[in-house]
Amino acid sequence: MSRVRQPPLVTGISPKEGTSWTKVTIRGENLGTGPSDLIGLTICGHNCLLTAEWISASKIVCRVGQDKNDKGDIIVTTKSGGKGTSTVFFKLVKHEKIGILYQSAVWVEEQNYYDMRTDRNKGISPLSQRTGNPLGIDIERGKVPHSDIETLFPGKTADFNRENFSATWYLIENHSTASFEHLKLAANNLKKQASKKNEGNVAYVKGGLSTFFEAQDALAAIHQKLEADGTEKVEGSVTQKLEKVLKSASTTADTLFQEVLGRKDKADSTRNALNVLQRFKFLFNLPLNIERNIQKGDYDVVINDYEKAKSLFGKTEVEVFKKVYAEVETRIEALRKLLLDKLLETPSTLHDQRRYIRYLSELHAPGDPAWKCIGAQHKWILQLMHSCKEGYVKELKGSTILQSPMLDVDSDGRPSPIARLSQTASLKRGSSFQSGRNDSWKYKTPPQAEFVEKLTKVVVSQLPNFWKLWISYVNGSLFSETAEKSGQMEKYRKNAKQKPNDFKKMIQEVMQCLVKLIRGALLPSTLGQEDVMIYGGWGSKAELSGPWLAHVVQTIRHTYESLMALEIPNDILQSIQDLILELRETCVKVTLQHTAEEVKKLADKEDWMVDNEGLTTLPSQFEQSVTQALQSLKSVIECKPAEASIFQHQKTQDRVCTLCINIIQAFISTLEYLSNKPEGDVDTMHVSADISSPDLFGSLNEEPTISSEKKLLIVLSNCNYLERHTLINIADHFEKHGFQGIENITKASTESLKELDQSLFEKFIESKADPIVGSLEPGIYAGYFDWKDCLTPTGVRNYLKEALASMIAVHAEVFSISKQLVPRVMSRIVEAVGEELCRLMQCVSSFSRNGALQARLEICALKDAVSIYLTDEIRSTFDQALDAIPQLSNGSDKKLLEQLLNEFKSSMHLQLVCFQMFSNYEQKT
């Protein structure tokens, strides 16, 4: 039949050896399901069941049996598993008998005393402690709730070692389900234990009878001797001898027991001292525990232990406790210094600062550690800012700062804003094909811009914690509840109420340092000489370009927004607003100046290739340059919250207006320079061609030269477009971006443009009209022609036809460049020719009849040919020329004049059709 459970197995015993009645702990498996299941326990063959205490199925506690030099198994027997086995052994040793005169390293219990004289046990019960089950029957607890029992037996207990022991309570709690038979068995067990105890006491008395009888025999012998002598002499002698013997015995006893009693007194003293140490071991171990916990960083444990020791022994009068407590105070003082040093260390997080301040407040540190921390942080921030500047200045003086976007990246792997901005700017610089040259120069970041970005990062990263530390200091959240309960909170709050002005000065100093450091890098002229020595030192470096200044403005704006989020008063941040305003103004000024310089370089990009309207790409490039410049200034000109407009001051408006005018005048100067370039000076850099074409260089070599007259025409055409469109568009852009004084800009620019246009126009007219005008007088008087004596006219003479051909050539040249210039140019040419003919006619002294007819024919032929270009002034000139000629007197002359005019128009129809074509083109447009 198989058992329900496995047999017990003992796998360990502690200790592994010992004398009799040694308490051991047995461990193993399947050691029973409960105290009632344990029915047998032997160690080295001795039954230990009586002292066994079942703890769990894997643990039993008991005492070993009689002392005997032996080594054996530990066998456990249970109802459920039967007899078990053991994998370990226990060695039972027999201890030496220790008497009262022997030195021993352990305290000998007087209960187990052995008589050294007779070597007999005096009958003391071998079991010095009471068993956990005095009745010897099964214990079943938990049947009746403990709370119910307490109400039935107030003031009583079930512990049979206490004076208020209640047997009824004990039975209800441990044997509520026991039967009457079991209780009778329990009563018999108690009687047996009582009888064993009485027998032990009787045996003790019996054991001492021999000594008693020996003393009685000695006394009887003495009495018999005295009775036999019967004399007083003997009695006196005996008495003296007895006194001498007793005195000698007393002396011998004192000698024998003096060392024993001394050791006993010393042992008692040691035992009392050990009791005191055990009772107050918390205090005596506290200095060492404080040292260990400080090394581990468990400051909370140290503070709790110190508060406990202070409440218990802070006012003690015991010298030993005073000495130990003084050592505790020494360690705590060292801890205060350590915490204060850690508090003032930089850099440190706000969490650590709050923690150390709380520790110091709980340790009642002298002074105000929170304010000391605020002061240390203030100095640290200023030191960081100056160190940032010194590092860049030294690096700038030592070597050029070159940065690659591959090295300057954000946490997400993308180039930082500085790298991206520098990379964009570098694309306009061209490239170098020199071997061995480092291309990192393309991504060079201005050190001033990089410094401003790093400086603002320092302020934005450090100042919030500094500000939050102050807020926590003011509202008291830095300190612990202990400080609040002890009244120290009021002390801290009182100190905090006296510090606002001091803290405000600290914040102002940080803001002033930030502003002055940036001014020293970007606007050194705005600092005094002393401030330049402290906050400057950048040397005579080129100022930042417009895009970099715009980037710096955005960086400082973000810094201002971050500081505003901390709810720092506006009056403290006003210096940053003033700095932003000045940087915005400087950015606008530098950008406009740079734009003017770029506009001057547009002359190199003129390719003299005109479109259908007679324009080159130059006007559009100029407008694009201005537009891009204004677009780059858009974010700078726009006002963020709490910012003022850069155009609020009249001085700034005038300065910006002047710079805008300079940009337009720079382009006008560029046009003037282009109009005066020598013939054939063609810039081939901007000729667009397919580099794969084999005729590329051939086409460049075959590029026709451009005459000065053609350049003048192209420039005049650009000037005309500039006045009619470009200047208006630029004015609209200025107005769109909030610029002031647009009318003044437009007016000054238009006047300068008109002066250049008029100058170039007069130059062109002079180059074209003078040859035509100069050929009139020789043509009129060719072949010794005389107005007084000439033949009857047969048609218009050749000089006038040649003049018209030259005018047609001018017309064709102008029409090929710009159709809009044709009326203006041809009107001036016709005017010059008409004025010259008028002068020549007025210089004739007299006309013959044929001469008058010839002159009127030529004047009328010319007038009819260029009739579409006649203005009121030109008509007046022609009328004056006709008035200088005698009128035709008869109808035959008039008829002949009309006939000859028709013949002229018919013969010159092909040449004169160009004027009609322009008239049709003008009507269509």
Side-chain angles (χ1 to χ4, degrees):
M1 180 177 179
S2 62
R3 295 185 179 90
V4 178
R5 298 178 61 86
Q6 296 295 327
L9 175 63
V10 177
T11 59
I13 185 169
S14 177
K16 295 184 178 180
E17 64 179 20
T19 60
S20 61
W21 318 123
T22 300
K23 188 176 183 179
V24 296
T25 301
I26 302 171
R27 298 186 182 276
E29 301 175 359
N30 304 317
L31 300 183
T33 60
S36 60
D37 191 40
L38 182 63
I39 60 175
L41 174 60
T42 60
I43 300 177
C44 298
H46 299 287
N47 187 6
C48 302
L49 181 62
L50 184 61
T51 60
E53 182 181 358
W54 186 88
I55 304 300
S56 66
S58 60
K59 180 178 180 183
I60 296 176
V61 177
C62 71
R63 291 184 181 270
V64 297
Q66 299 177 357
D67 51 349
K68 178 182 179 183
N69 289 329
D70 193 7
K71 183 178 182 181
D73 298 332
I74 302 94
I75 304 300
V76 178
T77 305
T78 61
K79 293 180 182 179
S80 59
K83 186 176 181 180
T85 58
S86 174
T87 61
V88 295
F89 300 93
F90 182 82
K91 184 177 182 181
L92 183 62
V93 298
K94 184 176 182 180
H95 64 77
E96 296 180 357
K97 297 178 180 179
I98 301 175
I100 59 176
L101 298 180
Y102 287 87
Q103 294 184 356
S104 176
V106 298
W107 185 260
V108 180
E109 296 183 2
E110 295 180 357
Q111 293 178 351
N112 295 332
Y113 171 66
Y114 293 85
D115 191 351
M116 298 299 297
R117 296 174 299 164
T118 61
D119 196 21
R120 290 180 297 178
N121 193 330
K122 297 305 180 179
I124 301 301
S125 175
L127 193 57
S128 62
Q129 68 172 10
R130 296 182 182 181
T131 180
N133 186 10
L135 300 183
I137 61 177
D138 295 341
I139 296 176
E140 296 183 4
R141 299 176 181 175
K143 299 296 183 179
V144 181
H146 190 271
S147 59
D148 296 343
I149 301 176
E150 287 183 346
T151 57
L152 295 175
F153 304 96
K156 300 296 182 178
T157 180
D159 186 1
F160 46 77
N161 293 320
R162 304 284 293 275
E163 294 180 359
N164 57 346
F165 170 70
S166 173
T168 307
W169 186 343
Y170 179 82
L171 290 175
I172 294 175
E173 183 178 9
N174 297 282
H175 306 287
S176 60
T177 60
S179 65
F180 180 73
E181 296 297 330
H182 287 136
L183 293 178
K184 288 173 64 178
L185 179 61
N188 293 331
N189 292 336
L190 288 176
K191 290 178 181 180
K192 290 179 182 180
Q193 293 180 12
S195 63
K196 289 181 181 179
K197 183 175 181 182
N198 294 331
E199 291 175 358
N201 294 334
V202 173
Y204 175 77
V205 174
K206 289 180 178 180
L209 286 176
S210 61
T211 304
F212 177 74
F213 290 147
E214 290 174 1
Q216 290 295 328
D217 293 341
L219 289 175
I222 292 172
H223 286 295
Q224 289 176 1
K225 184 65 175 175
L226 290 176
E227 290 176 357
D229 292 342
T231 61
E232 295 179 357
K233 182 178 179 180
V234 174
E235 183 177 358
S237 176
V238 172
T239 303
Q240 291 177 356
K241 290 181 178 180
L242 287 174
E243 290 178 354
K244 186 178 180 180
V245 170
L246 290 175
K247 185 177 180 179
S248 177
S250 177
T251 302
T252 304
D254 290 341
T255 303
L256 291 174
F257 287 95
Q258 187 65 36
E259 184 180 358
V260 175
L261 295 176
R263 289 202 302 268
K264 183 177 184 303
D265 292 340
K266 185 177 180 181
D268 292 340
S269 177
T270 302
R271 183 166 61 251
N272 293 334
L274 290 174
N275 290 334
V276 172
L277 289 174
Q278 181 64 25
R279 182 177 179 184
F280 301 102
K281 64 179 180 179
F282 164 74
L283 177 63
F284 294 109
N285 293 334
L286 187 57
L288 181 59
N289 290 335
I290 289 176
E291 191 70 25
R292 290 175 178 174
N293 290 326
I294 289 176
Q295 292 178 358
K296 293 189 295 184
D298 295 337
Y299 303 122
D300 289 311
V301 177
V302 175
I303 294 172
N304 292 334
D305 292 345
Y306 172 67
E307 290 294 335
K308 181 179 179 181
K310 185 177 181 181
S311 62
L312 294 175
F313 306 100
K315 298 180 180 180
T316 183
E317 297 297 333
V318 181
E319 292 299 328
V320 176
F321 293 163
K322 283 184 177 180
K323 184 177 180 181
V324 177
Y325 185 74
E327 180 65 22
V328 172
E329 286 289 353
T330 302
R331 302 293 176 91
I332 292 299
E333 184 61 30
L335 176 60
R336 291 192 187 103
K337 186 177 183 304
L338 174 65
L339 291 176
L340 184 60
D341 293 340
K342 287 183 174 293
L343 176 64
L344 300 182
E345 282 182 359
T346 51
S348 61
T349 62
L350 181 61
H351 173 73
D352 290 339
Q353 293 169 358
R354 288 179 172 176
R355 188 161 57 96
Y356 293 138
I357 291 173
R358 180 174 60 84
Y359 291 153
L360 289 170
S361 66
E362 291 178 349
L363 292 174
H364 305 282
D368 193 344
W371 181 250
K372 292 180 182 178
C373 179
I374 292 175
Q377 289 298 311
H378 170 246
K379 294 180 181 179
W380 167 250
I381 294 174
L382 294 178
Q383 181 183 354
L384 280 180
M385 297 169 69
H386 283 285
S387 299
C388 181
K389 188 266 293 184
E390 293 298 332
Y392 274 96
V393 170
K394 289 180 181 179
E395 189 174 1
L396 182 63
K397 292 181 179 180
S399 61
T400 305
I401 303 177
L402 298 178
Q403 251 190 344
S404 171
M406 298 301 294
L407 301 178
D408 186 13
V409 295
D410 293 335
S411 59
D412 57 357
R414 298 175 300 172
S416 67
I418 286 185
R420 291 196 294 269
L421 185 59
S422 61
Q423 184 176 0
T424 302
S426 67
L427 297 178
K428 301 178 181 179
R429 303 177 185 173
S431 60
S432 174
F433 297 98
Q434 297 178 1
S435 61
R437 180 171 179 178
N438 190 357
D439 290 338
S440 62
W441 66 273
K442 296 180 181 180
Y443 310 109
K444 179 179 177 181
T445 301
Q448 293 95 327
E450 190 174 359
F451 160 70
V452 171
E453 184 166 354
K454 186 173 182 180
L455 179 66
T456 53
K457 284 182 178 179
V458 169
V459 174
V460 171
S461 62
Q462 297 296 328
L463 201 60
N465 289 340
F466 183 57
W467 181 260
K468 292 175 182 177
L469 181 65
W470 162 253
I471 297 299
S472 301
Y473 175 68
V474 172
N475 59 29
S477 61
L478 279 178
F479 312 107
S480 64
E481 296 179 358
T482 305
E484 186 174 1
K485 293 177 181 179
S486 64
Q488 195 174 6
M489 178 65 75
E490 296 299 326
K491 173 186 173 182
Y492 290 140
R493 287 179 176 175
K494 184 177 180 181
N495 291 339
K497 291 180 180 178
Q498 299 174 356
K499 303 297 184 181
N501 291 334
D502 296 336
F503 182 77
K504 185 176 181 180
K505 291 179 181 179
M506 291 182 181
I507 294 293
Q508 287 177 340
E509 187 174 358
V510 173
M511 294 299 102
Q512 291 176 0
C513 182
L514 172 65
V515 171
K516 289 183 179 180
L517 284 174
I518 296 177
R519 288 182 181 274
L522 303 179
L523 305 172
S525 60
T526 60
L527 295 177
Q529 186 175 0
E530 296 181 358
D531 289 337
V532 170
M533 297 294 295
I534 300 174
Y535 301 99
W538 293 86
S540 57
K541 299 296 180 180
E543 65 180 2
L544 294 182
S545 62
W548 283 114
L549 282 173
H551 173 73
V552 168
V553 169
Q554 292 300 108
T555 301
I556 301 177
R557 277 175 168 173
H558 293 326
T559 303
Y560 179 81
E561 293 174 359
S562 300
L563 298 179
M564 282 290 294
L566 298 177
E567 298 182 357
I568 298 178
N570 293 331
D571 57 337
I572 297 179
L573 301 178
Q574 185 58 41
S575 59
I576 300 181
Q577 278 289 2
D578 297 338
L579 173 64
I580 293 175
L581 180 60
E582 291 188 41
L583 287 175
R584 291 167 62 201
E585 293 176 355
T586 304
C587 180
V588 173
K589 180 188 72 173
V590 171
T591 301
L592 295 179
Q593 290 175 345
H594 178 74
T595 303
E597 295 298 326
E598 292 295 325
V599 167
K600 291 179 181 179
K601 299 177 183 179
L602 290 178
D604 298 333
K605 299 180 181 181
E606 179 60 271
D607 55 6
W608 302 106
M609 302 295 293
V610 297
D611 56 10
N612 293 333
E613 296 182 2
L615 303 175
T616 62
T617 59
L618 212 58
S620 62
Q621 291 179 4
F622 166 62
E623 183 177 351
Q624 185 178 4
S625 297
V626 176
T627 304
Q628 290 178 351
L630 296 179
Q631 188 65 28
S632 66
L633 292 175
K634 181 179 180 180
S635 60
V636 176
I637 296 175
E638 290 179 351
C639 297
K640 298 293 182 180
E643 289 185 355
S645 173
I646 61 175
F647 302 112
Q648 62 178 347
H649 301 297
Q650 186 62 39
K651 183 178 179 181
T652 305
Q653 294 181 18
D654 297 340
R655 177 62 175 164
V656 172
C657 183
T658 302
L659 292 174
C660 294
I661 294 174
N662 291 340
I663 293 174
I664 300 176
Q665 288 182 343
F667 186 68
I668 294 175
S669 300
T670 300
L671 293 177
E672 184 177 5
Y673 164 76
L674 290 173
S675 66
N676 295 324
K677 289 184 71 174
E679 292 186 14
D681 187 7
V682 181
D683 186 3
T684 59
M685 288 181 59
H686 307 283
V687 176
S688 176
D690 185 2
I691 60 174
S692 62
S693 173
D695 298 331
L696 171 61
F697 298 101
S699 62
L700 290 178
N701 293 331
E702 296 174 1
E703 181 72 21
T705 59
I706 301 177
S707 63
S708 58
E709 290 84 0
K710 190 172 183 180
K711 290 181 179 180
L712 284 175
L713 279 175
I714 295 174
V715 173
L716 282 172
S717 177
N718 287 336
C719 289
N720 184 27
Y721 183 83
L722 196 68
E723 180 180 0
R724 290 186 295 109
H725 297 92
T726 306
L727 291 183
I728 297 175
N729 295 339
I730 291 177
D732 292 339
H733 288 302
F734 282 142
E735 184 176 2
K736 178 182 178 181
H737 287 83
F739 281 68
Q740 303 295 321
I742 306 300
E743 296 180 357
N744 296 333
I745 297 174
T746 304
K747 181 179 179 181
S749 302
T750 304
E751 289 178 355
S752 299
L753 183 62
K754 286 183 177 180
E755 290 178 1
L756 175 64
D757 177 79
Q758 188 63 30
S759 173
L760 297 180
F761 182 74
E762 294 296 336
K763 185 177 181 181
F764 179 77
I765 294 300
E766 182 179 357
S767 64
K768 295 299 181 182
D770 286 353
I772 299 175
V773 172
S775 64
L776 291 178
E777 184 172 1
I780 290 176
Y781 296 103
Y784 303 100
F785 179 80
D786 188 3
W787 296 106
K788 297 179 181 178
D789 184 13
C790 62
L791 300 175
T792 303
T794 57
V796 177
R797 290 184 294 171
N798 291 333
Y799 80 92
L800 186 58
K801 294 179 181 179
E802 291 177 359
L804 285 173
S806 298
M807 294 170 65
I808 292 172
V810 173
H811 177 277
E813 182 179 2
V814 176
F815 189 86
S816 65
I817 299 299
S818 175
K819 301 175 180 61
Q820 286 78 11
L821 288 177
V822 171
R824 183 182 178 189
V825 172
M826 295 306 299
S827 296
R828 285 297 303 275
I829 297 293
V830 171
E831 181 180 0
V833 173
E835 289 178 352
E836 179 64 16
L837 287 176
C838 180
R839 183 187 68 81
L840 292 175
M841 294 300 119
Q842 291 176 349
C843 291
V844 176
S845 58
S846 61
F847 290 91
S848 64
R849 177 171 174 271
N850 292 332
L853 182 60
Q854 185 69 41
R856 188 171 291 277
L857 171 63
E858 292 175 353
I859 295 297
C860 291
L862 178 61
K863 183 178 180 181
D864 291 342
V866 297
S867 60
I868 60 174
Y869 302 114
L870 297 180
T871 62
D872 294 339
E873 294 179 358
I874 298 175
R875 286 191 179 90
S876 176
T877 300
F878 277 103
D879 291 341
Q880 292 178 7
L882 292 175
D883 292 341
I885 303 172
Q887 296 292 330
L888 298 179
S889 58
N890 51 42
S892 60
D893 293 338
K894 294 179 180 180
K895 186 175 180 180
L896 178 60
L897 176 62
E898 183 177 357
Q899 180 182 354
L900 294 174
L901 283 174
N902 292 332
E903 290 178 358
F904 168 75
K905 292 178 182 180
S906 176
S907 62
M908 294 289 293
H909 176 74
L910 183 62
Q911 288 78 3
L912 298 180
V913 73
C914 62
F915 300 125
Q916 301 299 326
M917 289 178 59
F918 176 77
S919 177
N920 295 333
Y921 169 80
E922 191 176 29
Q923 290 177 1
K924 292 179 180 179
T925 57

